[in-house]
């Protein structure tokens, strides 16, 4: 899908139309074609609320969310949400930002490390969703 997306210019209207489709490939393509400058925080929240599986969460965080100028703030906001996939997007995005390091000021980076400690505490959790989250974030950071 990435090689197909590489043949297109970034296009907000096209990305938005693709995201609305309930087709895996369309959602992946939307994350690849969405320009950063026209992707407002409100739209990011709408997209995150629409994510219903781990694959789309991982790919959208990797291809789009980690590159947003407001990614650190959104990550913490999403992590604080009680809905599973929204939290997962927050944790995955902050993990990717930590890998890039240079995109966060020291205060934000300290908060991100505290979030990672919180995820580390999920290592031995009996909750399936916490185990999944631990595994996903650990894979992102490794």
């Amino acid at each position: 899908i990435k090689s197909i997306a590489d043949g297109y210019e970034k296009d907000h209207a096209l990305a938005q139309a693709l995201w609305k489709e309930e087709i895996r490939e369309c959602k992946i393509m939307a994350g690849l074609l969405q320009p950063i400058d026209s992707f407002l925080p409100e739209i990011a929240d709408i997209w995150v609320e629409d994510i219903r599986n781990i694959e789309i969460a991982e790919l959208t965080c990797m291809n789009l969310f980690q590159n947003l100028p407001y990614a650190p703030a959104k990550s913490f906001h999403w992590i604080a949400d009680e809905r599973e996939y929204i939290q997962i997007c927050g944790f995955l995005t902050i993990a990717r930002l930590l890998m890039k390091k240079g995109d966060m000021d020291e205060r934000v980076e300290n908060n991100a490390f505290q979030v990672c400690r919180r995820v580390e505490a999920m290592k031995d959790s009996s909750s399936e969703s916490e185990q999944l989250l631990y595994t996903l974030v650990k894979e992102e950071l490794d």
Side-chain angles (χ1 to χ4, degrees), residues 76 79 91 94-96 98 109-122 134 137 141:
F76 295 128
I79 288 167
F91 283 115
I94 207 71
R96 289 199 153 274
L98 282 171
E109 191 169 336
N110 287 337
N111 287 337
F113 279 117
Q114 287 186 13
V115 166
C116 287
R117 283 191 210 110
R118 181 175 155 195
V119 171
E120 184 67 29
M122 295 176 186
Y134 169 79
V137 172
L141 290 172

Side-chain angles (χ1 to χ4, degrees), residues 118-135:
R118 181 175 155 195
V119 171
E120 184 67 29
M122 295 176 186
K123 179 179 180 181
D124 298 319
S125 174
S126 59
S127 165
E128 186 178 327
S129 63
E130 287 184 358
Q131 279 289 317
L132 176 63
L133 186 56
Y134 169 79
T135 303

Side-chain angles (χ1 to χ4, degrees), residues 1-117:
I1 293 175
K2 178 145 177 37
S3 60
I4 295 170
D6 288 343
Y8 289 87
E9 295 288 323
K10 300 273 185 178
D11 184 311
H12 178 79
L14 177 57
Q16 294 303 307
L18 288 168
W19 186 261
K20 290 176 185 175
E21 296 297 323
E22 291 302 322
I23 300 169
R24 172 188 174 271
E25 290 78 8
C26 289
K27 290 203 181 287
I28 296 169
M29 184 75 85
L32 292 165
L33 294 179
Q34 176 60 53
I36 300 301
D37 60 342
S38 62
F39 197 70
L40 303 175
E42 299 80 20
I43 300 171
D45 287 334
I46 291 167
W47 279 35
V48 166
E49 289 175 9
D50 192 41
I51 292 176
R52 302 281 183 262
N53 70 60
I54 296 301
E55 179 188 29
I56 299 302
E58 286 181 292
L59 291 172
T60 307
C61 290
M62 178 178 67
N63 295 327
L64 180 60
F65 295 156
Q66 73 167 332
N67 300 312
L68 300 171
Y70 50 84
K74 273 297 168 198
S75 294
F76 295 128
H77 176 78
W78 295 336
I79 288 167
D81 196 288
E82 293 188 9
R83 292 169 285 183
E84 181 179 22
Y85 285 110
I86 294 175
Q87 280 185 350
I88 287 171
C89 286
F91 283 115
L92 290 174
T93 301
I94 207 71
R96 289 199 153 274
L97 291 172
L98 282 171
M99 288 189 311
K100 293 186 342 184
K101 295 225 181 199
D103 290 355
M104 293 188 286
D105 65 36
E106 186 176 329
R107 182 183 60 81
V108 172
E109 191 169 336
N110 287 337
N111 287 337
F113 279 117
Q114 287 186 13
V115 166
C116 287
R117 283 191 210 110

